Amino acid sequence: TTTSSTTTTTQNPGPLPASVRTFTFLGPDNASITSNSGMMAGGPTVTMANGTAVRVWTLNGAATGFNGDRIVPGPVIELTQGQAAALTLNSGMPHTIHPHGLDVNTANDGVPQTSGFVAGTMMFPIQQPGQVGGNLGSPFTYRFTAPFAGTYLYHCHVDAALHFEMGMYGAVIVRPPSGATNVAWDGGPSFAKEYIWQLSTFDSRWHTQSQTGTGTRRYVPNFFMINGRDGSNLLTDTTTAINAPQASRVLVRLISYAYAPAIVDLGGVPFDIIASDGRPLRSFIANQTTWRIMPGERYDLLITMPTAGARQATVTFQNIRGTATLGMAQTSITSV
């Protein structure tokens, strides 16, 4: 049994303007990420609402994970459209950072291969943490320019099915060139408050494994989360429960890390779908009350808050055929 935990000085989370963001972030345009992963019995744990401790592998610790108060998901990284980005990975184990949906070149995509060449560029050896010609344990910085404002994600791409399941993921927000935090993109809709809903599932049996194999042949999730919390833990989670003045506009960045489709129901509150997978929709999909999201997808939801009162919002996770419910996560939407 071996474990590895590499620590480094990580950029302080950015400020939290109460009027817009409901989460902390790293950036803008650069961030330092440190992996903490174990083999077999090693690694930190997350305590679920029923008291079960589930082993996870993380990108950053509790003080610099999502919102600075949890280790899964990883921290939100903010970039600026058109600006050079630098994401540094510190890892003593074979891990990479894959900037999902950000259209980067091969050398900065974080997808490992055991050998081979692509357009004359050596691909990443899986024995190393994502870099060409580096040594295991050496920091590697991914460099690229974020092309479009929108909602994205990052995750480890080594033995991706397991490392993703173990919690090695986080959100990426690309802001407009101006850096404005209250508009979705240049010329796009404005909003008074911003949430991220990161949907995920755990099959706790997978969390006893060190690599994919016979123990990961079937996936039967038994925990269902938003922003890394489940069950009653969601009731007090201010990053998830929406609270805003009536008639104000709220942006919800919806991301699915789950290995199952999910239906989002905002308790009858209508919303517009304004962007999909980091790109604005030419025509908004208006006045929806429910929406299905598949694994790996992102949608930006714009809500005009209804009359004063509280509504119950539900995320229902389904089997891949959409014929049965696997589990649910519930939170609230409150207009004041």
Side-chain angles (χ1 to χ4, degrees), residues 200-219:
S200 58
T201 54
F202 280 168
D203 181 338
S204 58
R205 299 170 308 159
W206 281 42
H207 291 249
T208 63
Q209 307 299 307
S210 60
Q211 62 184 31
T212 52
T214 57
T216 59
R217 285 179 177 173
R218 292 184 61 82
Y219 189 76

Side-chain angles (χ1 to χ4, degrees), residues 264-297:
V264 176
D265 183 335
L266 298 189
V269 177
F271 55 87
D272 298 342
I273 305 292
I274 64 171
S276 172
D277 291 345
R279 301 292 190 273
L281 293 176
R282 184 169 298 178
S283 298
F284 297 170
I285 304 173
N287 294 317
Q288 304 298 300
T289 55
T290 64
W291 193 255
R292 182 189 300 271
I293 184 169
M294 302 297 287
E297 287 189 322

